[in-house]
Amino acid sequence: MNEDLVDRLRLLRTAGIGPVTFRQLLRRFGTAAAAIEAVPDLARRGGGKAPRLFERGEAEREIARVEKLGARYLTLGQGLYPRLLAALEDAPPLLIAKGNLNLLDRTAIAIVGARNASAAACRFARGLAHDLGQQDLVVVSGLARGVDSAAHDGALESGTIGVIAGGIDVFYPPENEARQRAMYERGLVLAEMPPGTEPRARHFPYRNRIIAGVSAGTIVVEAAPRSGSLITARLAAEAGRDVMAVPGSPLDPRAQGCNQLIRDGATLIQNAEDVVEELGPVGRVRSSVIPYRPEPELVNGDDNAVDLVEELLGPSPVPVDEVIRLSGASSGAVQMALLELDLAGRLDRHAGGKVSLRPA
Amino acid sequence: MNEDLVDRLRLLRTAGIGPVTFRQLLRRFGTAAAAIEAVPDLARRGGGKAPRLFERGEAEREIARVEKLGARYLTLGQGLYPRLLAALEDAPPLLIAKGNLNLLDRTAIAIVGARNASAAACRFARGLAHDLGQQDLVVVSGLARGVDSAAHDGALESGTIGVIAGGIDVFYPPENEARQRAMYERGLVLAEMPPGTEPRARHFPYRNRIIAGVSAGTIVVEAAPRSGSLITARLAAEAGRDVMAVPGSPLDPRAQGCNQLIRDGATLIQNAEDVVEELGPVGRVRSSVIPYRPEPELVNGDDNAVDLVEELLGPSPVPVDEVIRLSGASSGAVQMALLELDLAGRLDRHAGGKVSLRPA
């Protein structure tokens, strides 16, 4: 049994420890084992009681189950873990993967869109995915109905990755079971949640960040305003990736999301050549480059750091950078205080690096 | 009889004197009468013989005919002549107008597109023109079949200007006679060519520059690649005006021109609100602002200027600016030499301020 994996899993599956907190604990304590030992004391300093840690036995059972499913873990920052995904501040600390892991070595491009897309849009997505496959690109999508399914189908021969919101062994929607099984064999399926997890609404935005994160760019095909596909596009843009959209007639309500994306700066694409042109030579090699991000060293602040930071926070999310600036303390000390409040169950972390105090 | 108008018409209708040459003659000699006197000597200096000037009697007959048609001339730089159009270097020195001249006082927006557009595109153009009319914008188009006709129809109540390639009294295509007559009454029709002129293929790009030139922005609705509508869009962009396009599905071949325009930088628009947003508050007042362009004073060069400039020219068009730079002479002297070559029938002027020597 891989002891480090057991420790990482114990930490990650502990309630209240999300990807950002996990990453900061590893940064501060070097190993998951050391972090586990430190958690109770940190939570106490944050003014709460220690979270109940995921038991060793539970972790071992999950690992055994993943192995039995023919799947394996990918560990952030190690081995085959997708390097573009690792660049996200909230990258999943562990992913569960089943299928052809070699696909992780090629540049990936996401194709996403409406579940209730028109037949024409699905046909377009399938053809586009096929043509991008001919350009040696791996097509990523979410194994949903509609555009996602069409994109996977078009790229099944050349290489496709499906990122699912539930467990690696859960088929959702049920009619996609055959497609997902085919991708275990000839493509690759990735899941963040433990095996057996039925996907819930809140899981889908997490799934979407992985789709955007593993891909050099995201293409949206027919999306309604305020749909999940547009969330994926926004996450891709925030991660500095290319966002592309397929236009449609203003008379077609299903084209509004994509047309608005283009108005907001996404590149209009009509075919695979347009996509390759947009990605450019940089895009083709980008998967081997991790953007540089300085990682502040977390330091033990003086005893007043938690009180100071707590006083600056309220129920409205504010950027961590602003908290640091207002506190007058060092970045490392503030991050440490936030970590302590977090582990004490007194902090909420939000998109865009914002934090708020959890209402009592 | 307006003597200055007679002189301008004589100069303009003289073979070989185009809008740019006309403008430079006026710049150099102050009045059309003085320019007419100077032409023979200039042509001789340019190494050719003087062009046969349009006769005074011919000019008087044209003026009488225009009056009888219930139309009138608009003179570049004077009175009601559209101020945005005057900003074009090759603005028509005279326009013939029939209809409601008050429309020239409001901000205009062009809607152009394919003659064989889909029914959906025509419906969209008609609705858009109507909605833009409600925003107090005047809709300009080319009185062609398809999108043009739909745009005029949608804005007939609120105000629309048709720019035609032939004479003010010529109906082309013939089935648009009723529409053009309605616009004499309730809209405005503009023509550059003399009455009775049947439009020929070469007239349409000239017509297109007027459509783009009078308008604060140009909207393209369904245009084939390499179509006249795209020429209008290019001319609008060159004149520093907003270019907008209505997208369509990549699966629809008729959408390719507009989608490519958007890829090239045109703003995607879906409705009148998008257009108003694009024009912005600046767009709404722009019609009263003439961009500043310093006008070099043309000077009589020494006798060698024509030889010098002629030596720098060949059959391939080169920018006038480059000729000036290479010559080492003053801008005014080079322009004068070009004017002399031009009047001698030895120069061709091209789009984008380029010139070439006419093959003997």
Side-chain angles (χ1 to χ4, degrees):
Chain A
M1 183 81 42
N2 178 333
E3 288 300 326
D4 182 51
L5 179 59
V6 172
D7 291 333
R8 284 175 188 258
L9 203 52
R10 289 190 64 194
L11 205 55
L12 181 61
R13 299 281 187 246
T14 292
I17 298 186
V20 173
T21 308
F22 183 98
R23 196 166 195 158
Q24 294 194 335
L25 283 169
L26 263 283
R27 221 174 259 170
R28 174 67 183 83
F29 297 99
T31 65
I36 287 171
E37 282 197 26
V39 162
D41 191 44
L42 292 170
R44 195 179 41 74
R45 286 170 60 94
K49 69 184 170 75
R52 194 195 71 84
L53 276 162
F54 197 63
E55 299 285 350
R56 185 181 175 83
E58 296 175 284
E60 288 174 350
R61 276 194 296 282
E62 182 184 316
I63 292 170
R65 183 172 179 185
V66 164
E67 276 175 12
K68 198 168 163 216
L69 287 167
R72 55 161 290 180
Y73 290 90
L74 302 174
T75 302
L76 174 60
Q78 293 180 7
L80 289 166
Y81 191 96
R83 282 174 285 190
L84 276 181
L85 181 61
L88 266 56
E89 180 64 22
D90 62 348
L94 292 170
L95 278 175
I96 298 169
K98 183 171 178 180
N100 176 8
L101 295 167
N102 292 325
L103 295 178
L104 295 170
D105 222 29
R106 284 159 54 192
T107 299
I109 181 98
I111 299 179
V112 299
R115 287 187 296 274
N116 62 346
S118 65
C122 290
R123 184 157 57 90
F124 181 85
R126 189 161 47 241
L128 180 65
H130 173 270
D131 295 347
L132 291 172
Q134 301 310 305
Q135 303 282 339
D136 205 35
L137 292 163
V138 172
V139 172
V140 180
S141 197
L143 261 163
R145 291 189 188 94
V147 167
D148 286 21
S149 291
H152 290 306
D153 290 353
L156 191 58
E157 295 295 330
S158 53
T160 185
I161 298 175
V163 184
I164 57 178
I168 193 75
D169 55 343
V170 174
F171 303 102
Y172 181 87
E175 69 262 35
N176 261 354
E177 177 170 344
R179 184 172 282 110
Q180 188 166 326
R181 289 192 186 279
M183 288 176 63
Y184 290 155
E185 297 302 319
R186 302 158 72 186
L188 180 67
V189 182
L190 298 177
E192 184 177 13
M193 295 297 139
T197 307
E198 293 290 334
R200 294 169 186 276
R202 66 186 162 86
H203 293 146
F204 288 91
Y206 299 143
R207 186 271 309 260
N208 292 345
R209 92 185 189 288
I210 302 174
I211 293 175
V214 298
S215 306
T218 291
I219 301 164
V220 185
V221 182
E222 244 186 36
R226 284 176 297 283
S227 63
S229 303
L230 297 190
I231 293 176
T232 308
R234 183 173 54 72
L235 294 168
E238 287 175 2
R241 313 297 164 80
D242 284 315
V243 179
M244 292 161 263
V246 180
S249 165
L251 297 171
D252 180 355
R254 284 178 289 202
Q256 285 178 11
C258 281
N259 286 347
Q260 187 58 42
L261 262 186
I262 295 166
R263 281 180 54 77
D264 293 342
T267 301
L268 183 156
I269 63 119
Q270 302 190 91
N271 49 47
E273 290 70 47
D274 289 349
V275 175
V276 170
E277 183 187 328
E278 171 67 11
L279 290 178
V282 176
R284 307 307 293 270
V285 301
R286 205 178 289 170
S287 64
S288 61
V289 178
I290 303 176
Y292 172 72
R293 175 186 292 139
E295 305 205 339
E297 203 181 334
L298 275 66
V299 297
N300 289 324
D302 55 53
D303 288 341
N304 295 327
V306 170
D307 295 343
L308 180 64
V309 168
E310 190 182 346
E311 226 167 78
L312 290 170
L313 294 175
S316 302
V318 290
V320 169
D321 289 348
E322 197 174 316
V323 177
I324 294 170
R325 192 172 53 74
L326 290 171
S327 73
S330 74
S331 164
V334 171
Q335 294 278 15
M336 195 69 201
L338 290 172
L339 186 55
E340 290 164 356
L341 287 168
D342 193 353
L343 290 169
R346 301 178 58 204
L347 192 81
D348 282 320
R349 293 191 187 267
H350 307 270
K354 294 184 178 178
V355 290
S356 66
L357 216 53
R358 184 173 299 175
Chain B
M1 182 81 41
N2 177 334
E3 288 300 325
D4 182 51
L5 178 59
V6 172
D7 290 333
R8 284 175 187 258
L9 202 53
R10 290 190 63 196
L11 205 56
L12 181 62
R13 300 279 188 247
T14 292
I17 298 186
V20 173
T21 308
F22 182 98
R23 195 165 195 160
Q24 294 194 334
L25 284 168
L26 263 283
R27 222 174 258 172
R28 173 67 183 85
F29 297 99
T31 65
I36 287 170
E37 281 197 27
V39 163
D41 191 44
L42 292 169
R44 194 180 42 72
R45 285 171 58 96
K49 69 185 171 77
R52 194 194 72 83
L53 276 162
F54 196 66
E55 299 285 348
R56 184 181 175 82
E58 296 175 285
E60 289 175 349
R61 276 194 296 281
E62 183 185 314
I63 292 170
R65 185 173 177 183
V66 165
E67 278 175 12
K68 197 167 164 217
L69 287 168
R72 56 162 288 182
Y73 290 90
L74 301 175
T75 301
L76 174 59
Q78 294 180 6
L80 288 167
Y81 191 95
R83 282 174 285 189
L84 276 181
L85 182 61
L88 266 55
E89 181 63 22
D90 61 348
L94 292 170
L95 278 176
I96 298 169
K98 182 170 179 181
N100 176 6
L101 294 167
N102 292 327
L103 295 178
L104 295 170
D105 222 29
R106 283 158 54 191
T107 299
I109 181 95
I111 299 180
V112 298
R115 288 188 296 275
N116 62 347
S118 66
C122 290
R123 184 157 56 91
F124 181 86
R126 189 160 47 240
L128 180 65
H130 173 270
D131 295 347
L132 291 172
Q134 302 310 305
Q135 303 282 338
D136 205 36
L137 291 163
V138 172
V139 172
V140 180
S141 197
L143 261 164
R145 291 189 187 94
V147 167
D148 286 21
S149 291
H152 289 307
D153 290 354
L156 191 57
E157 295 295 330
S158 52
T160 185
I161 298 175
V163 184
I164 57 178
I168 194 75
D169 55 343
V170 174
F171 303 101
Y172 180 86
E175 69 262 35
N176 262 353
E177 178 169 344
R179 185 172 281 110
Q180 187 166 325
R181 287 191 187 280
M183 288 176 63
Y184 291 154
E185 297 302 318
R186 300 159 70 188
L188 178 67
V189 182
L190 298 176
E192 182 176 15
M193 296 296 139
T197 307
E198 292 291 334
R200 293 167 186 279
R202 65 185 163 85
H203 293 146
F204 288 90
Y206 298 143
R207 186 269 311 257
N208 292 344
R209 91 182 190 289
I210 301 174
I211 293 174
V214 298
S215 306
T218 291
I219 301 163
V220 186
V221 182
E222 245 186 36
R226 285 177 297 281
S227 63
S229 302
L230 298 190
I231 293 176
T232 308
R234 181 174 55 73
L235 294 168
E238 286 175 3
R241 314 296 164 80
D242 285 314
V243 179
M244 292 161 264
V246 180
S249 165
L251 297 171
D252 180 355
R254 284 179 289 204
Q256 285 178 11
C258 281
N259 286 348
Q260 187 59 44
L261 263 186
I262 295 165
R263 280 180 55 76
D264 293 344
T267 300
L268 183 156
I269 62 118
Q270 302 190 92
N271 49 48
E273 290 70 46
D274 288 349
V275 175
V276 170
E277 184 189 327
E278 170 67 10
L279 290 178
V282 176
R284 307 308 294 271
V285 300
R286 204 179 289 169
S287 64
S288 61
V289 178
I290 303 175
Y292 172 72
R293 175 188 290 138
E295 304 206 340
E297 202 182 335
L298 274 67
V299 297
N300 289 323
D302 55 52
D303 288 341
N304 294 327
V306 170
D307 294 344
L308 179 64
V309 167
E310 190 181 347
E311 228 167 78
L312 290 169
L313 293 175
S316 302
V318 289
V320 169
D321 288 347
E322 197 173 316
V323 178
I324 293 170
R325 192 173 53 76
L326 290 171
S327 72
S330 74
S331 163
V334 171
Q335 295 279 14
M336 196 70 202
L338 290 172
L339 186 55
E340 291 164 356
L341 287 168
D342 192 355
L343 291 169
R346 301 177 60 205
L347 193 80
D348 282 321
R349 294 191 187 267
H350 308 269
K354 293 184 178 179
V355 290
S356 68
L357 216 53
R358 185 173 298 177

